Amino acid sequence: MIELDFSDRIAALRSTFADISAVIGVDRLETEIASLEQEASDPALWNDTDNAQRVTSDLSHRKSELDKITNTGQRLDDLEVLVELANEGDDQESADEAEAELKSIQSMMDTLEIQTLLDGEYDPRPAVITIRSGAGGVDAADFAEMLLRMYLRYAEQHGFKTTVMDTSYAEEAGIKSATFEVDAPYAFGTLSVEAGTHRLVRMSPFGAAGKRQTSFAAVEVIPLMEETESIEIPENDIRVDVFRSSGPGGQSVNTTDSAVRITHLPTGTVVSMQNEKSQIQNRAAAMRVLQSRLLLLQKEAENAKKKELAGNITASWGDQIRSYVLAPYQMVKDLRSEYEVNNPSNVFDGDLDGFISAGIRWRKRSDDE
């Protein structure tokens, strides 16, 4: 006779769900969605393409947030019905399904709970991530490309929209650097804990057989600012270089000099873009990222919080946040939260939820101390 008793666990989930709903603000989300839908229905909206894209993107993000909360509440209701059916019908299949659903809802609740910890000024924004190879030669360049694939796979698995904005390929293998945007609710708050130096230890596929190689790559994460927050950059403060976009091995991927590199002379900040087909589009994208970086620098200076967001990342010994060890044993370990797993292949395939959740909780504890 099957006797499932999930009442205490379901009650605990409902209590947590009520707290999460209150913090996220369901009423606020519904009000914002109604307002954005009204804006989106205005026939004149698309007279200003940038504003129209902002409105539709914000609307999509708010609806996604609300759907997560609504779906979680509905699944809790359905779970109670499933447990009742399993007990009444003495149905082992329904009992197994109820157990699996309970674990799935708990996982979804953990994800929603993490979002309540993202209360920073920039946390709700899209993220711009730059990966740079560091010490370690060709192994470091290969490692940087592994990290790029890892983050793109993570975003794909979560349904996050990504745009690779610039890639600089290394001569032998891998990449020197890459910059990409993740456009999703709370992308910056979620992924900002990935900022820092990542370290790989493995048997090098490029060096002498049987020799372990340690290599490094730096990950920078900044929030993408709204157009209205952009700061004015005098033309004489920047140098704009145009060049031909290239692919692996230096092969040209188009026949025009459409790629753009902008250098901010007072700070030395450099942004490159080659994703778009035209020089004008690449320049516009590069300027927006440059403005985001400069605005952060300005606000960090005003608030005496230098290095808090993007940080000063050297991609070498002494600045690591995570180690990926492939030899002589298999382990990935975050050096701040102490979270670790023994399956690096899953991590490199985008399984980062455990690390990101542990990192956000670690950061919150550190801020509260």
Side-chain angles (χ1 to χ4, degrees), residues 240-257:
V240 180
D241 300 306
V242 296
F243 56 98
R244 186 162 296 178
S245 299
S246 62
Q251 295 179 351
S252 175
V253 295
N254 62 34
T255 58
T256 61
D257 293 334

Side-chain angles (χ1 to χ4, degrees), residues 46-63:
W46 287 96
N47 292 339
D48 183 344
T49 304
D50 290 339
N51 183 54
Q53 290 176 340
R54 178 194 63 79
V55 170
T56 55
S57 177
D58 286 351
L59 178 58
S60 175
H61 289 173
R62 300 297 189 279
K63 284 185 173 181

Side-chain angles (χ1 to χ4, degrees), residues 169-244:
Y169 292 94
E171 291 182 6
E172 185 173 344
I175 59 174
K176 296 178 183 177
S177 65
T179 298
F180 62 99
E181 178 185 345
V182 180
D183 186 8
Y186 288 88
F188 172 70
T190 301
L191 291 166
S192 57
V193 293
E194 293 295 298
T197 298
H198 297 240
R199 170 176 172 252
L200 173 67
V201 180
R202 66 174 175 177
M203 307 300 290
S204 173
F206 305 102
K211 184 178 180 181
R212 279 195 300 161
Q213 173 73 30
T214 299
S215 53
F216 300 87
V219 175
E220 176 198 76
V221 186
I222 64 171
L224 189 63
M225 299 302 179
E226 299 282 358
E227 295 284 355
T228 55
E229 296 173 309
S230 298
I231 61 176
E232 292 296 324
I233 303 176
E235 281 294 322
N236 58 5
D237 278 357
I238 62 174
R239 184 180 71 243
V240 180
D241 300 306
V242 296
F243 56 98
R244 186 162 296 178

Side-chain angles (χ1 to χ4, degrees), residues 2-141:
I2 295 174
E3 283 292 338
L4 289 180
D5 185 7
F6 291 165
S7 55
D8 289 344
R9 294 163 72 182
I10 292 175
L13 285 175
R14 285 203 176 278
S15 177
T16 301
F17 180 66
D19 292 340
I20 291 172
S21 298
V23 173
I24 291 178
V26 174
D27 291 342
R28 172 189 60 81
L29 277 176
E30 290 175 340
T31 300
E32 290 177 354
I33 288 171
S35 176
L36 288 167
E37 285 180 333
Q38 185 172 358
E39 283 190 69
S41 65
D42 185 351
L45 176 67
W46 287 96
N47 292 339
D48 183 344
T49 304
D50 290 339
N51 183 54
Q53 290 176 340
R54 178 194 63 79
V55 170
T56 55
S57 177
D58 286 351
L59 178 58
S60 175
H61 289 173
R62 300 297 189 279
K63 284 185 173 181
S64 176
E65 288 183 70
L66 185 60
D67 285 346
K68 286 180 183 177
I69 298 173
T70 303
N71 291 341
T72 302
Q74 184 60 55
R75 288 178 67 179
L76 275 172
D77 293 339
D78 294 343
L79 176 61
E80 291 184 321
V81 173
L82 188 60
V83 170
E84 186 178 340
L85 289 174
N87 287 331
E88 289 179 355
D90 195 22
D91 183 353
Q92 185 61 49
E93 185 177 344
S94 294
D96 293 342
E97 186 181 347
E99 180 71 42
E101 179 66 358
L102 181 66
K103 291 179 181 178
S104 178
I105 293 173
Q106 180 65 66
S107 176
M108 180 177 288
M109 205 80 77
D110 289 344
T111 301
L112 286 172
E113 187 176 16
I114 286 296
Q115 185 173 319
T116 67
L117 303 178
L118 302 179
D119 54 3
E121 180 180 0
Y122 306 109
D123 284 352
R125 302 293 175 81
V128 175
I129 301 176
T130 298
I131 300 169
R132 299 184 180 88
S133 62
V138 65
D139 276 278

Side-chain angles (χ1 to χ4, degrees), residues 104 120 144 156 345:
S104 178
E156 178 186 350
S345 62

